[in-house]
Amino acid sequence: VIEIGDLSKITSANKVIKGKTMGKDKIDEVELQKNRMQKMLAIGQVFRPSAPVNTYTLFAGRRKQLQNIISVLSQAGQHAIIYGERGVGKTSLTNILSEIFRDETNQSWPYVRINCDGQDTFKSIWQKIFRELQIITQKTGVGFVPSTQQKLISLNDFLSDSPQPDEIRYWLQQFGGLSIIVIDEIDRIIDKQTATLLADTIKTLSDHALETKIILVGVADSVDDLISEHKSVERALVQILMPRMSVSELTEIIDKGLSVLEMTIEEQAKQQIATLSQGLPHYTHLLGLYSAQSACQKDSLKIDLDDVQVAIRQAVETIQQSILSDYHKAVSSSRKTIYAQALLACALANKNDLGYFSATDVRAPLAKITGKPYDINAFSQHLNAFCDTPRGPTLQKSGFVRRFKFRFINPLLQPYVILHGLAKGLIDEKTLAEVQ
Ligand SMILES: Nc1ncnc2c1ncn2[C@@H]1O[C@H](COP(=O)(O)OP(=O)(O)O)[C@@H](O)[C@H]1O
Ligand SMILES: [Mg+2]
């Protein structure tokens, strides 16, 4: 079931468009235009590169992570922390929990999701949360038959000026019952004291076996910090890693989206979109969006390889300014250098679940791209340059001498480098397939 308005008109829009391509009926040009617009709108609602998924209908894969969360939420005293690179789908996963967790009467559990920012303190975080939680208060009047007045009050009204973990526990207990509280983007919290108080709160909630479940969400490093500095919370806080999505999970995004749009795609075209996305669903949505629009412009209900080509070029042209400037900063040069090839090789290097690769992983793709073998010493200066100004920092370097690991600071830059390489001819599809 789809709740989004325009999608209900898909079937009729497709019918009009199909009628035209089959040359069957005489179709009013105005009517046809209207239906094409309808279709374009619907495509934009299904493939949404910049917004987290908010309905299970369009949610793909992530079965293992869902299972883990479900098991955490059903265990007394356990809470969860979801961590992974930016853009892998952490927020989307928490968004659909409210659809999944329902009580016996099919009511969803009370669910609150807030985003942290750089200004947040322990108090402001709980203010944001408590604003969303309301309880009923009763006031009994005086008199022979006292009247009672019921009032809905947000928990925020009760919060003291400098709340401590136990006070939070107390009010959540008053609120009572099963509920889910998601605190997203905890990596943006700067204040150290806030992190400590949050960890203490989770410990207190766990010790009192409250039915309120806290889910923290953040990029990996923030989780390391939180856990390593607050060992006592480790038992209460189950860590759930969100790796990049597999190719089959990414193709499921395309399949689910296209089934809502009542469109299809050539198998090869689908595989290409999934592979180019490099595990980041943002790009699957971006390429899905542009290739579906390209097909739609031809009044076709089936996406083919040509549409994907159009989509790649369009994605490269319309990429966010921040990614574009990161790219140019990293590779620009007035002399003939191999910065662009080296960055492309980094983008194609084998990576672990958190996006890390080593210099050794760069060697083979670089040889394929340039057509000649390079010794690690010959390109390690390039890798280092990417880690520093003025070319970066584009990559982040960690580890020890000879065992350095690198990672794209902005994960979204990595697939862009590949798309750009394809669009500008730094690599062709055959070589790309060999490297991957
Ligand atoms: N399981 C999924 N199925 C379909 N699309 C997804 C899924 N997970 C993420 N996406 C899409 O990927 C993009 C990034 O997801 P988001 O949840 O914002 O990532 P994060 O919170 O990790 O930065 C969004 O466009 C979102 O719609
Ligand atoms: Mg997010």
Side-chain angles (χ1 to χ4, degrees), residues 48-49 51-53 58-60 87-92 245 253 281-282 285:
R48 318 186 317 159
V53 172
L58 296 173
F59 184 84
V88 288
K90 301 180 296 297
T91 302
S92 299
M245 291 179 102
I253 295 182
H282 167 82
H285 281 260

Side-chain angles (χ1 to χ4, degrees), residues 52 85-92 94 113 115 184-185 217:
E85 292 176 279
R86 263 169 61 198
V88 288
K90 301 180 296 297
T91 302
S92 299
T94 61
R113 201 181 70 80
N115 274 341
D184 203 345
E185 305 199 2
V217 182

Side-chain angles (χ1 to χ4, degrees), residues 27 47 51 58 63 79 115 127 179 216 222 225 255 279 284 300 302 308 330 336 339 355 390 399 408 429:
I27 294 164
F47 292 116
L58 296 173
R63 294 199 175 74
H79 303 266
N115 274 341
Q127 275 176 327
S179 55
L216 302 180
S222 62
D225 291 351
D255 286 335
T284 313
S300 161
K302 184 168 191 174
V308 180
K336 198 165 163 43
Y339 283 107
F408 278 84
E429 269 161 40

